[in-house]
Amino acid sequence: MLIAMGRRKAYMDDGGDSSDEERGRIHFDITEEDLEEERQGFSGVRKRKMFDDSSDDEATPKGGLGSGGWKTGGTTLFEPAKKSSTPEPQKVASPKRKNAFASASSSKPEPGFAGFSKHTTGFGQKMLEKMGWAAGKGLGAGGEGIINPVETKLRPKGMGMGFKGFDERTAQAKAEAKKQSTMRGDDSDQDQDQSEGDSGDSDDSGHKKKPGKAVKREAWKATAKKARKPKVVYKTANDILSEIIEKAPEAQQKVIDMTGPTIREVSLADIRTSDSPTFMETTTRLPELRHNIRLLVDLARGDLENLSREKQANVFRLQELDKELVDIQKNMERDTSQKKRVEEIKNIGVQLERISRDSMATGAYASGNITSLFGEYFEILETKYMDEVKSLGLDSMVVAVWAPILKYKCVHWDVLDEPTWGVDDVQRWRKLLRSNDDRDEFGDLIASKGVNLATPYETMMNTIWLTKVRSAINNRWNVRQPEPLIILLEAWKPLLPRFIFENIINQLLLPKITTAVSDWDPRNDPEMIHSWIHPWLPILEPWRLAEIFTNIRQKLSVVLRQWHPSDESALHIIIPWKQVWTASQMEMFLTKCILPKLTQVLRTEFVVDPQDQKIEPLVWCLAWKDMFSTTIIGQLLEHEFFPMWLNMLYNWLTQPRDQVNYDEVGEWYLWWKAVFEEFGLCSHKTVSQCFRKGLDMMFMAGNGQPVIPPSF
């Protein structure tokens, strides 16, 4: 009963959900009288005498094989079978025990006993019959076991074990418990009587008699009783709390009492002596009401939490809405300002259209001066609405009023006579004429950000301006008069779209220049080719003319096959190309076409003769010294001139001394040195070494030493 009350208290304390009870699934009618009986039964320490190794579970006997009989409602469900006819000598049953056994022997099986065996093979029944069991008798060797099966009691649905004092014992279990209690009481009485009889067994002299078998049996029973386990004592919750409070040391603790109308400070001793209800009482009174209140509190708490979360979400949402409102207001202000600016731009467009129409009617457009016609409104667009020019594409509006005047002027424009016409207007308003070659504020090309579509300005220049220029170049321009087109391209190069400039160079100029070079004849053409090719270098750059330069070198190499070094025209033709061709190109050309001719002249036409010296062939060769590298000119003199000169000096000095005039030798030496000094070659390493050899030979001859012949 204590276990059931403990479980009921635990259920009520931990706030278990009783929603099933609220919906009417289960109700128990427990009155205040039942609760009062429970409190009286557990107000003190309940002591119960235990006869076996008992526990809480053994407090309520369980039915089973070999257990005592159980009675329910006056009907015996489990009765022991008849005991063996041979009585036990060690144990004498009391009259009550005999009556109980007699009642067990007279029990009969219930109707329908063992009726389920017809649905089975009957194997278990056959095994029992082989061991001596008969139908209608109890189990066991003596038939003292149970006859009927164990009875069960169904707990109501949704109810826990021992809830609100629900007794789970069946009528069979209650009858068995009552019978066991009766049997234990008889045994106790018999043991007590036997003990009293043994204690008075003595002789007349006061000496104890020798114990017999009965005495020994009673002594054994006493020893067995002493060896049994101690009694189980049950304590209530109030007893346990009282012991804890008595053992706990007294401590001065302040307790704030807020149960009354005012707040007051009390001590623990005052609380213990107060008449306030105990913890057990406050937690067990009105469980249904407390449970319902707890449910209401939980629901209210949940509602408050939901409202708090909803409020927080609404606060965040309100903040976001405020931000969106600010953004919307800013966007609205920006759109309003943009709308106003668009209206102003629209008015400017109307004015430009009016001016263009009036100029066409009055003939003012014939001057072709864009600044004088539209400069006022172009200035407003450039200073105030440059962002809209880029974003709204207002350059198309500018081109719309510019193109008709440009088209009319191009009809009467002489490109070669007025190559710079229109440059000032385009240069002045170039910001309004956007091109894909323009760069943004970050320095990136506009064309690299999307599809490379032609802008209105590019379309105007390609269809109107370039058409006029192409016609002038193809029909009227002379290649040998490059100045007009050079002026045109120098002025328009920074203003033209890149593809238009490249079109003029690759499609108009280079093809015509290449054709003129192919028709050039170096032998008969009185005009030097560099005079009409070199002016293009700043505009076209050498890498564009590389193919033309190759063609020129090929033509010159063909002509130089029949050339003689005495003809200075070749030198005049080649000298201007020294700074145009690369050093490797120039050296390769001279080594192949000029150097063999110079070597041949020195070998065949030059002779060293002190009596009649002809120096012209050497002069022809030294005239090319600036065209060749110092290494090549040094090798030419070392191998072709100085061997002849040193041999002549050696032969002169090796004549008989009376025939040699050393003063004449010295003058001859100084004269040749002056010749090389005039051409700036005395400081050349090879020339100075060769003159040093001649001086050594003259020194040896003057001192009367044998002259060593020169070696090369």
Side-chain angles (χ1 to χ4, degrees):
M1 195 68 177
L2 183 60
I3 296 174
M5 289 185 65
R7 290 175 179 174
R8 182 181 64 185
K9 176 181 178 300
Y11 175 82
M12 291 185 294
D13 289 343
D14 61 6
D17 188 4
S18 64
S19 59
D20 293 340
E21 296 182 37
E22 297 300 326
R23 290 191 293 268
R25 292 178 59 184
I26 180 169
H27 294 279
F28 297 96
D29 297 330
I30 299 177
T31 62
E32 288 294 334
E33 297 179 357
D34 297 334
L35 295 176
E36 184 65 26
E37 292 177 0
E38 291 181 3
R39 285 194 292 269
Q40 292 177 1
F42 290 87
S43 59
V45 178
R46 180 180 179 181
K47 300 181 180 180
R48 182 174 181 178
K49 188 176 182 181
M50 306 301 294
F51 295 92
D52 298 317
D53 295 340
S54 59
S55 62
D56 292 345
D57 294 338
E58 292 175 350
T60 303
K62 298 182 180 180
L65 295 177
S67 63
W70 293 75
K71 296 181 180 180
T72 304
T75 303
T76 303
L77 299 180
F78 298 102
E79 297 292 341
K82 294 181 179 181
K83 300 180 65 176
S84 176
S85 60
T86 304
E88 294 181 1
Q90 293 85 358
K91 187 174 182 180
V92 179
S94 64
K96 292 182 180 181
R97 181 179 293 272
K98 290 181 180 180
N99 294 333
F101 279 108
S103 176
S105 300
S106 62
S107 62
K108 297 181 181 181
E110 292 182 353
F113 176 78
F116 187 74
S117 60
K118 63 182 179 180
H119 301 289
T120 62
T121 59
F123 176 77
Q125 183 176 355
K126 294 177 182 180
M127 291 293 294
L128 292 173
E129 289 176 351
K130 290 181 179 180
M131 290 184 288
W133 176 81
K137 294 182 179 181
L139 298 176
E144 68 276 8
I146 65 174
I147 299 175
N148 294 314
V150 177
E151 187 182 40
T152 59
K153 184 177 182 180
L154 180 63
R155 186 186 303 116
K157 183 179 180 181
M159 185 178 73
M161 295 180 62
F163 179 72
K164 294 186 178 180
F166 177 74
D167 191 359
E168 299 190 11
R169 296 183 301 171
T170 63
Q172 181 188 45
K174 292 179 180 179
E176 178 66 18
K178 184 176 181 181
K179 185 183 70 173
Q180 293 290 342
S181 176
T182 303
M183 294 175 65
R184 290 193 179 102
D186 295 341
D187 292 342
S188 299
D189 296 340
Q190 184 177 355
D191 294 340
Q192 185 176 0
D193 296 339
Q194 186 67 30
S195 176
E196 292 175 356
D198 292 342
S199 61
D201 190 6
S202 60
D203 54 3
D204 297 337
S205 61
H207 297 282
K208 292 184 179 181
K209 296 181 178 180
K210 186 177 181 179
K213 292 182 179 181
V215 175
K216 292 180 180 181
R217 182 171 63 251
E218 296 302 328
W220 174 82
K221 288 182 179 181
T223 304
K225 289 173 64 177
K226 292 180 181 179
R228 291 171 182 170
K229 291 184 178 181
K231 300 177 182 179
V232 178
V233 179
Y234 297 95
K235 297 181 179 180
T236 63
N238 292 331
D239 296 338
I240 297 173
L241 291 175
S242 300
E243 293 178 359
I244 294 175
I245 293 173
E246 292 175 358
K247 294 180 180 180
E250 293 292 337
Q252 297 296 329
Q253 297 183 3
K254 296 181 179 180
V255 180
I256 304 300
D257 185 7
M258 301 181 66
T259 58
T262 59
I263 300 175
R264 62 192 183 93
E265 181 178 335
V266 297
S267 63
L268 292 178
D270 296 337
I271 295 175
R272 286 195 291 268
T273 58
S274 64
D275 297 333
S276 60
T278 62
F279 177 76
M280 178 66 72
E281 293 173 346
T282 57
T283 56
T284 57
R285 290 180 180 178
L286 304 175
E288 293 83 0
L289 179 60
R290 295 171 63 85
H291 174 71
N292 293 337
I293 293 174
R294 197 157 37 242
L295 288 179
L296 294 175
V297 171
D298 293 340
L299 292 175
R301 184 186 296 110
D303 293 339
L304 290 176
E305 292 175 354
N306 293 333
L307 291 174
S308 177
R309 286 192 294 268
E310 185 176 357
K311 176 185 176 182
Q312 191 69 20
N314 291 334
V315 170
F316 292 153
R317 180 57 180 168
L318 183 60
Q319 294 176 355
E320 294 297 329
L321 291 176
D322 291 339
K323 293 180 180 178
E324 292 180 4
L325 179 61
V326 173
D327 295 339
I328 291 172
Q329 291 176 349
K330 291 181 179 178
N331 293 336
M332 186 171 62
E333 294 175 358
R334 184 180 65 252
D335 293 342
T336 303
S337 175
Q338 186 67 23
K339 180 181 178 181
K340 182 179 179 182
R341 293 173 66 87
V342 170
E343 292 293 336
E344 296 175 356
I345 292 171
K346 180 181 177 181
N347 295 331
I348 293 175
V350 172
Q351 295 299 325
L352 291 175
E353 184 181 5
R354 180 185 59 79
I355 295 173
S356 177
R357 186 171 55 253
D358 294 344
S359 63
M360 289 292 180
T362 59
Y365 62 87
S367 63
N369 193 336
I370 299 297
T371 303
S372 62
L373 294 174
F374 310 107
E376 179 182 357
Y377 295 101
F378 284 178
E379 181 72 21
I380 297 174
L381 290 176
E382 187 178 31
T383 55
K384 294 180 61 178
Y385 303 104
M386 199 61 204
D387 294 337
E388 284 75 9
V389 170
K390 298 178 181 179
S391 61
L392 302 179
L394 298 183
D395 56 331
S396 59
M397 181 176 66
V398 175
V399 172
V401 297
W402 194 315
I405 298 175
L406 179 63
K407 185 176 182 180
Y408 175 81
K409 183 60 179 179
C410 285
V411 174
H412 306 282
W413 178 36
D414 189 345
V415 178
L416 301 179
D417 293 339
E418 298 179 280
T420 59
W421 173 84
V423 171
D424 295 337
D425 290 335
V426 175
Q427 187 174 8
R428 173 64 182 86
W429 309 113
R430 182 63 177 83
K431 292 182 179 180
L432 300 177
L433 303 172
R434 306 192 69 223
S435 174
N436 287 314
D437 300 325
D438 298 341
R439 296 183 180 273
D440 57 10
E441 61 273 13
F442 302 104
D444 299 329
L445 289 174
I446 297 176
S448 63
K449 296 184 177 182
V451 180
N452 191 7
L453 300 177
T455 63
Y457 169 65
E458 293 174 345
T459 303
M460 179 182 69
M461 298 301 290
N462 186 43
T463 57
I464 300 175
W465 185 88
L466 182 58
T467 302
K468 185 64 177 180
V469 173
R470 182 185 294 110
S471 176
I473 293 174
N474 292 334
N475 300 326
R476 300 178 56 244
W477 177 58
N478 184 4
V479 178
R480 300 198 178 194
Q481 296 177 355
E483 288 76 12
L485 288 186
I486 291 175
I487 295 173
L488 176 74
L489 294 179
E490 286 179 348
W492 285 96
K493 182 178 180 180
L495 304 175
L496 289 176
R498 187 67 181 178
F499 77 94
I500 294 179
F501 180 79
E502 294 295 333
N503 183 277
I504 295 173
I505 298 299
N506 297 321
Q507 302 297 328
L508 301 177
L509 294 180
L510 290 180
K512 200 162 186 176
I513 294 174
T514 303
T515 302
V517 171
S518 300
D519 297 338
W520 173 59
D521 185 3
R523 291 189 185 93
N524 303 319
D525 197 336
E527 189 174 1
M528 304 292 285
I529 190 173
H530 70 273
S531 63
W532 48 274
I533 294 295
H534 288 185
W536 288 109
L537 291 175
I539 300 298
L540 303 182
E541 300 177 358
W543 63 272
R544 296 180 185 273
L545 301 171
E547 187 176 352
I548 295 176
F549 294 161
T550 302
N551 193 6
I552 292 173
R553 286 194 297 270
Q554 291 176 354
K555 281 184 168 292
L556 290 175
S557 62
V558 172
V559 174
L560 290 175
R561 292 174 185 174
Q562 306 298 327
W563 172 75
H564 190 272
S566 60
D567 185 2
E568 296 181 357
S569 62
L571 180 61
H572 295 311
I573 294 174
I574 297 173
I575 283 178
W577 297 99
K578 183 178 181 181
Q579 302 301 327
V580 177
W581 298 343
T582 62
S584 60
Q585 291 174 347
M586 178 60 72
E587 185 175 354
M588 185 180 298
F589 174 76
L590 294 176
T591 303
K592 180 181 179 181
C593 301
I594 304 299
L595 186 58
K597 298 292 183 179
L598 301 180
T599 302
Q600 185 179 4
V601 167
L602 291 177
R603 289 179 181 179
T604 59
E605 300 183 18
F606 178 73
V607 178
V608 178
D609 187 1
Q611 297 179 358
D612 187 14
Q613 184 63 55
K614 295 181 179 180
I615 199 174
E616 287 78 8
L618 180 62
V619 174
W620 300 337
C621 295
L622 294 180
W624 291 89
K625 67 178 183 64
D626 294 331
M627 300 300 297
F628 290 98
S629 63
T630 57
T631 303
I632 293 178
I633 198 68
Q635 292 177 355
L636 176 64
L637 295 174
E638 183 180 8
H639 293 89
E640 304 300 334
F641 170 76
F642 280 105
M644 293 188 294
W645 187 82
L646 291 175
N647 285 331
M648 176 57 69
L649 180 60
Y650 174 76
N651 293 332
W652 195 353
L653 294 175
T654 56
Q655 291 180 2
R657 292 181 62 85
D658 55 351
Q659 297 180 3
V660 177
N661 188 347
Y662 289 103
D663 293 335
E664 293 180 354
V665 174
E667 292 177 359
W668 181 78
Y669 173 83
L670 294 175
W671 182 82
W672 277 111
K673 196 169 183 180
V675 171
F676 281 93
E677 184 70 26
E678 184 178 356
F679 286 94
L681 294 174
C682 280
S683 61
H684 194 280
K685 181 178 180 181
T686 302
V687 175
S688 62
Q689 289 177 356
C690 292
F691 276 111
R692 180 66 182 178
K693 290 180 181 180
L695 186 61
D696 292 340
M697 292 169 61
M698 293 169 60
F699 180 77
M700 287 185 292
N703 293 333
Q705 298 177 0
V707 179
I708 300 174
S711 60
F712 297 94

